[in-house]
Amino acid sequence: MKDERKQIRIGFVGAGTHANNILYPSLAYLDEFHVKRVALCDLIEEKAQYTASIYGVSSTYTDHRKMFESEELDGVVVCINAAEHPPVVKDALRAGLDVFVEKPTSVTIEDAEEIMRLAEA
């Protein structure tokens, strides 16, 4: 019987200690046929390239907006400092992407409410 599930194309934002030691190692448990690791972004190019090489991610960026525009993504995993979550999450939602972001989603109620409105839209 042929498996008809769609391949999900995922991008990643963040290549820091938490991403590399805690979150991204869990990628080993995902079926690579159904979850394609497309692109990874970090402000420091060398960190993005290093992390991408470890986890089998095809492309790297230093600007998440450029990644969202250039790649055909279904969703994005955001693993950066919580204070930096809102602009990246908002840009991803505006780009029509599903978003996984660790808590807290934001550090202000105003940003959390705006993210909620964008997600609902």
Side-chain angles (χ1 to χ4, degrees), residues 53-107:
S53 72
I54 292 173
Y55 298 107
V57 179
S58 307
S59 302
T60 59
Y61 293 84
T62 56
D63 181 332
H64 68 273
R65 290 173 300 275
K66 178 79 171 161
M67 181 177 77
F68 298 161
E69 292 169 6
S70 300
E71 299 290 345
E72 186 178 322
L73 300 172
D74 297 305
V76 64
V77 174
V78 178
C79 189
I80 56 177
N81 181 293
E84 303 303 320
H85 285 166
V88 175
V89 171
K90 291 174 192 178
D91 288 342
L93 291 169
R94 288 182 187 115
L97 300 174
D98 288 332
V99 178
F100 172 86
V101 60
E102 293 189 305
K103 60 184 181 182
T105 303
S106 69
V107 294

Side-chain angles (χ1 to χ4, degrees), residues 27-42:
L27 296 173
Y29 298 100
L30 298 176
D31 178 350
E32 288 187 41
F33 178 77
H34 295 107
V35 178
K36 182 168 178 67
R37 303 164 195 169
V38 175
L40 187 141
C41 176
D42 193 90

Side-chain angles (χ1 to χ4, degrees), residues 89 93-94 97-99 113-121:
V89 171
L93 291 169
R94 288 182 187 115
L97 300 174
D98 288 332
V99 178
E113 289 173 342
E114 184 177 356
I115 288 169
M116 183 178 67
R117 285 190 297 277
L118 286 168
E120 289 173 344

Side-chain angles (χ1 to χ4, degrees), residues 42-50 60-62:
D42 193 90
L43 295 175
I44 301 170
E45 185 174 1
E46 294 78 16
K47 286 173 66 176
Q49 291 173 347
Y50 175 76
T60 59
Y61 293 84
T62 56

Side-chain angles (χ1 to χ4, degrees), residues 15-25 79-80 102:
T17 302
H18 183 72
N20 279 292
N21 292 338
I22 306 298
L23 188 59
Y24 296 166
C79 189
I80 56 177
E102 293 189 305

